[in-house]
Amino acid sequence: MDHRDGTVEELTRIVNEEPCVIAEERRGAVRALPFRFYDDADIPWPDYIYGTSYIRGILSITASAGGLGKSALVLTEALAMSTGKPLIHGIASRRPQTVWYINLEDGDNVLVPRLMAAARSYEITDEEIGDRLILDNSDMKLVLASEDERRGASLNQVAVAEMIRTIKAKQIDVVIIDPLVSAHRIPENDNNGMDVVAKALARIARETNCALMVVHHMTKGKDERTSDNVRGASALANAARVVRVLNPMAKGGEAGVTEEKAGSCFSVDDGKTNLAPAEKRMWFQRVNYDGFSFDDWRKNVVVVKSLAAANPASANRLANLTETDVRAAFREGGPWRERGTSDRWAGFALAASLGVGAESRPEKAALQQAIGRAVRRGWLVRYDAPDEHRHTRSHVHLASVGTSDAPIEGDAT
C-alpha cells in the first residue's frame, strides 16, 4: 500500500488502524478444519463468572424500560463480583473479579452516591473491593461505530483496539457498558449498522476473554416485555448469547407482597439464554437508602435488594427442607460458620443452593432456624474451629451418614 501522497493525519490514522484490520482479517480467515472428538476433560465448557448471565468471552444484554432499576442492578452485581460476596439472591462468583463499570450517561454526582449507598447498604468496605472495581463516567467518550457520509456504518477500529488493550493490560474479568446507546452513533433501527456494533462488542469479549454486559432499553408497552422487545434492530439481541429482561410487578402484587410495595418491585427473567438452562424468575425491590442523611431527601439514594417473598414457592421452601437439600448445599466448599455473622455463614450456601433470599432480617432468621433444625435432625454436625482471626467459632459440616429424607416442617424451633 502506497502512502507517499498522504497527509500526516492520514498516515497517523493508518498506523493506528491497520494493525487492528490485519488482526481482524487473520482472525476471520477461512480455515475449514476437520472436527476431532475431545476427551471429556478437554471439552471447552463456557466459563460462568456470575450466575448464568456473566460468561467469559460472551456478550450479554440486560434490558428494561427506563427507571425500573437496571443500572442499580448491574452496579450491585459489580460490587458482588468485585468482592466475591453473595449480595443478591445468594449468587456469588468463585473468587473476587476485576470489574470495569462504564456509565456513559451519568457523572460522579450520580454514580458515586449510588455506589456508596449500595456498598454501605451491603456493609462492604474499601478493603474488600481493593483495586478490583474500575469506574468510568460520562466523561469517557466511547464511540464504537458511527454513520459515514453515505449513511453506512463505519467501525471505529481504534476504539475497539483501545478497549481490547485496556482490558488485557488491567486483566479485567467483567466489562459493563451502561447504556449501550451512548457507545455508538448508529440509528438503533439500522439492522446492518447495529450488526457492526454487536459484532464489535462480541469481538472485544472474545479476544479479551472477559464477560461483557451491555445495558439497553426496551420498547414501550403495557404487556410483559420479552427479548423480542429489546429496542431497535434485531441484530443486537441475535448476537448476544444471554438477554435478561426486567419487568415491573403487577399492580395487584405477587404472593407475599402488598399492592403498595409492588410499585417498587421488578423481576428479572432470562429472555434468551443459549448456553445454560434458563434461571427461574428472580424478584427485586428498589429500596431507599437514607444512611447519608435522615432529614435531607436530596441525599437519599435508591439501592436494589433481593425480594424472596415475591416468589410463591420460596415461603415454603425452607419449611420443607430435606436431607437431600442439605447435602446438595454443603457437599462442596466450606468451612461453614453456624451463625450469620460471617461471609462464610452456612445460611448463604443454603440460600444459594435453594434459590431463596439471604439479605433481609426475616430471610436470615428463617435460614438460621433451618440450619438449627438440620443440626438437630443430624444432617449437619456442629464443631468448634478457629476463624480467619484465630477466634474459636461454631461451624457446621455434613454428617457422614444420612438419617432421613423427611421434611423438617414439624420440628420445634
Side-chain angles (χ1 to χ4, degrees), residues 189 199 242 248-249 265 269 283-284 286 296 326 333 342 356 369 383 391 413:
N189 289 321
K199 283 184 167 56
V242 176
M249 184 176 286
C265 300
D269 294 278
W283 289 97
F284 297 87
R286 300 184 301 276
D296 188 350
V326 173
S342 166
V356 301
Q369 290 177 357
Y383 69 99
H391 298 146
T413 59

Side-chain angles (χ1 to χ4, degrees), residues 395-411:
H395 292 68
V396 293
H397 64 73
L398 277 175
S400 57
V401 180
T403 55
S404 162
D405 203 36
I408 56 178
E409 184 175 10
D411 282 12

Side-chain angles (χ1 to χ4, degrees), residues 58-61 194-195 197-202 234-243 272 274:
I58 296 297
L59 169 65
S60 302
I61 299 173
M194 289 306 298
D195 185 60
V197 174
K199 283 184 167 56
L201 292 166
S234 60
L236 178 62
N238 290 340
R241 289 293 166 263
V242 176
V243 179
K272 169 189 173 182
N274 290 351

Side-chain angles (χ1 to χ4, degrees), residues 86 90 328-330 332 336 343-355 358 367:
F330 298 103
E332 296 179 353
W336 305 112
D343 294 342
R344 304 301 305 173
W345 179 43
F348 289 135
L350 186 59
S353 179
L354 297 178
L367 286 163

